Amino acid sequence: MTDELSKKASSATKWSLVTEVVVKLISPLTQIALAHILAPEAFGVVATVTMVTSFADMLSDAGFQKYLIQHEFEDTGHLYRSANVAFMTNLFVSLVLWLLVGIFNEPLAALVGNDGLGIVLIVACASLPLTALSSIQLALFHRTFAFKDLFVVRVAVALVPLVVTVPLAHLGFDFWSLVIGTIAGNLVNALVLTLKSDWKPSLFYSFAELREMISFSAWTLLEQFSIWLTSWMGTFIVGSLLTSYYLGLYKTSISMVNTGMGIITSATTPVLFAELSRRQGDDESFQSAFFRMQEKVALFVVPLGFGIFFYRDFVTTLVLGPQWSEGSLMFGLWALSSAVVIPIGYYASEVFRAKGRPKLSFASQVAYLLIMAPVTYYAATLDFGSFALYSSLLRIVAICIDIFILKAFIKFPVGKMIARLAPIFVCSAVMIVAGWVLADFGIPTIAGIIACVVVYALCCEVFPSTRAQLNGILSRFMR
């Protein structure tokens, strides 16, 4: 079973990576085009709208997606019955939430700093019923490692903003172009996933099935709520204390970094969770699969984060344009902190969920939130540069909390994990020193970036672990 599972995970990772590369080649083109057409204020408005709609999405999903992936079902019939109950519940909740947003649209808009734009919230929430369906379909594809089938779906959705949002922005629709593009993308996603899926929604419903799902999903929902709070707390504070301009700088900088690094993380995290869920009863096999994926991801994410930070001014101007230059520090610091957060913090959460212990992830998020909220508020009262620095440093606090919980409650070999990641951080640090020396000698930026990549690759050949990982990945994708 283990060998077969490893083969499925390896194939799924390859297809997921191919998908993410194609999607992330399309998405940044859209973002770059929009950044040159729209002002930062437009992105600021949409950021606060997205904060509300993402909260509603999280409530409507109710944690069922993680349950459908992690739980061991008796047979396919049991799985499909649970999927149908999850969908019907999600759909009902999403429609109720949409109605509530319609009733309280203006107070909600004022709460997030968009006075007079309640109608935008109502329109944006049209996505809620669509994501109620697509989230269930996506969970079923992930459970069976069917990432090859998701290639067409993801590419189709990625093309929607390019053919809808950008033309509307050119026509002067301002932030409405972003809202309409998001709805169109969610519609395409739901339709294509449903057409390709073996499971189709029906009128079947069972409160017995619902009770079985709630025991796991209730804690998962609390976990997702805490993640939503920590993810959007900065947006809420910036939207309340600063202007839409700075909110646009903040959210767009984060979005672009996440988009770039998402080529790797989005390709690997769903596969890792599905594989770990199948191995949850075998600690040795579980840890082996975790370390294997973690090292592969860190091998690319860590130097990428270090490099973006060092060349932050160049990257910000290149990607977003000169009007976004004030956001370069936020851009660089978020990338640098992501180099640590992604391979350790993100994957620690996957361990908690795959082990069926979302309570631990919830506890981690609450502990972090108690520190993060007051510090973020204080930082926002200073200036945007200080806010960028504090926001990034706080993410390291979250890592410390995750490491403590991994060690204390999962009995995970944290020391072994850090030792295996250390060579990658050393090679990335050597790369940055080389970049600093080259810049000091006046070497052009492009030449410096290429030289940094070469230095990093050569440094990886020095350590046996990084050499084996890098050469293995290269040989696999050159077949």
Side-chain angles (χ1 to χ4, degrees):
M1 176 183 175
T2 300
D3 291 340
E4 183 64 26
L5 192 56
S6 295
K7 289 178 182 177
K8 286 184 178 180
S10 178
S11 175
T13 302
K14 183 181 293 187
W15 272 104
S16 185
L17 183 58
V18 170
T19 302
E20 292 303 324
V21 168
V22 174
V23 169
K24 293 302 189 294
L25 285 175
I26 298 171
S27 297
L29 292 177
T30 306
Q31 285 290 100
I32 291 169
L34 291 171
H36 284 79
I37 298 170
L38 301 174
E41 287 83 355
F43 289 90
V45 170
V46 173
T48 53
V49 170
T50 305
M51 179 168 62
V52 176
T53 57
S54 66
F55 177 73
D57 268 335
M58 178 267 301
L59 289 178
S60 67
D61 180 59
F64 293 145
Q65 188 182 59
K66 292 293 188 295
Y67 174 84
L68 292 173
I69 298 173
Q70 193 270 344
H71 189 68
E72 295 292 350
F73 293 93
E74 297 171 1
D75 51 37
T76 303
H78 186 195
L79 170 63
Y80 284 1
R81 288 194 301 273
S82 295
N84 210 80
V85 171
F87 165 67
M88 296 295 286
T89 305
N90 285 359
L91 181 61
F92 173 76
V93 173
S94 66
L95 291 174
V96 171
L97 290 172
W98 195 6
L99 176 63
L100 291 174
V101 169
I103 295 172
F104 300 104
N105 64 90
E106 286 301 337
L108 283 172
L111 180 64
V112 296
N114 280 338
D115 289 314
L117 294 178
I119 186 64
V120 182
L121 288 177
I122 297 175
V123 175
C125 283
S127 291
L128 295 182
L130 300 175
T131 55
L133 174 58
S134 59
S135 68
I136 301 304
Q137 300 282 20
L138 198 60
L140 297 178
F141 279 104
H142 285 180
R143 179 183 174 85
T144 58
F145 298 95
F147 288 84
K148 183 177 180 179
D149 294 330
L150 292 176
F151 176 80
V152 175
V153 181
R154 294 292 309 282
V155 172
V157 173
L159 286 171
V160 170
L162 200 59
V163 299
V164 175
T165 310
V166 174
L168 288 176
H170 267 297
L171 292 172
F173 279 79
D174 199 37
F175 57 80
W176 280 110
S177 60
L178 298 168
V179 173
I180 296 171
T182 300
I183 296 172
N186 287 329
L187 177 61
V188 170
N189 190 41
L191 289 176
V192 179
L193 280 172
T194 302
L195 289 173
K196 293 184 69 65
S197 175
D198 291 332
W199 171 79
K200 299 293 189 294
S202 68
L203 295 177
F204 170 82
Y205 198 84
S206 167
F207 285 99
E209 294 280 353
L210 180 62
R211 283 192 297 271
E212 183 181 344
M213 298 165 67
I214 285 294
S215 60
F216 177 89
S217 299
W219 277 105
T220 302
L221 178 59
L222 283 174
E223 178 210 9
Q224 293 301 313
F225 174 64
S226 63
I227 292 173
W228 178 88
L229 276 178
T230 54
S231 299
W232 289 96
M233 182 60 70
T235 301
F236 180 76
I237 291 173
V238 174
S240 301
L241 299 181
L242 302 177
T243 64
S244 293
Y245 169 77
Y246 284 110
L247 181 57
L249 290 182
Y250 171 67
K251 286 304 294 181
T252 304
S253 297
I254 291 175
S255 176
M256 290 305 298
V257 171
N258 291 345
T259 296
M261 293 192 166
I263 294 175
I264 302 167
T265 58
S266 298
T268 55
T269 304
V271 179
L272 178 66
F273 176 61
E275 183 179 8
L276 293 182
S277 295
R278 303 284 76 77
R279 299 181 188 272
Q280 58 185 288
D282 183 348
D283 284 344
E284 183 179 350
S285 173
F286 185 97
Q287 292 173 15
S288 177
F290 176 86
F291 288 137
R292 184 173 61 250
M293 185 70 80
Q294 184 187 49
E295 287 178 27
K296 288 177 181 177
V297 169
L299 197 63
F300 294 98
V301 166
V302 174
L304 181 61
F306 278 50
I308 291 175
F309 172 75
F310 185 75
Y311 291 106
R312 58 188 178 276
D313 293 331
F314 170 77
V315 174
T316 302
T317 302
L318 176 69
V319 173
L320 299 176
Q323 70 270 31
W324 296 81
S325 60
E326 195 175 354
S328 65
L329 182 61
M330 183 76 243
F331 200 107
L333 287 172
W334 195 263
L336 183 62
S337 59
S338 294
V340 184
V341 170
I342 289 172
I344 300 178
Y346 283 14
Y347 281 5
S349 297
E350 299 309 314
V351 171
F352 302 148
R353 298 186 192 108
K355 285 286 188 180
R357 302 184 69 180
K359 296 178 184 179
L360 295 179
S361 182
F362 173 68
S364 171
Q365 294 296 327
V366 170
Y368 174 57
L369 189 63
L370 292 174
I371 301 170
M372 177 254 198
V375 174
T376 302
Y377 186 89
Y378 168 74
T381 63
L382 301 175
D383 56 72
F384 188 70
S386 299
F387 176 79
L389 178 61
Y390 277 93
S391 297
S392 300
L393 288 175
L394 278 168
R395 302 181 81 200
I396 307 304
V397 174
I399 293 296
C400 296
I401 295 171
D402 285 333
I403 288 176
F404 170 76
I405 294 177
L406 274 177
K407 182 69 175 177
F409 297 95
I410 300 291
K411 307 302 180 185
F412 200 79
V414 171
K416 182 179 179 180
M417 176 182 72
I418 294 173
R420 294 177 71 129
L421 292 176
I424 299 174
F425 282 94
V426 170
C427 291
S428 299
V430 170
M431 177 191 75
I432 292 306
V433 171
W436 177 76
V437 171
L438 291 170
D440 199 45
F441 277 97
I443 302 298
T445 301
I446 297 296
I449 292 173
I450 295 172
C452 283
V453 173
V454 173
V455 168
Y456 176 73
L458 291 175
C459 189
C460 284
E461 292 294 324
V462 174
F463 296 94
S465 60
T466 52
R467 180 172 64 246
Q469 285 285 358
L470 185 59
N471 294 346
I473 292 170
L474 292 175
S475 63
R476 186 176 298 114
F477 279 91
M478 292 186 66
R479 290 174 186 170

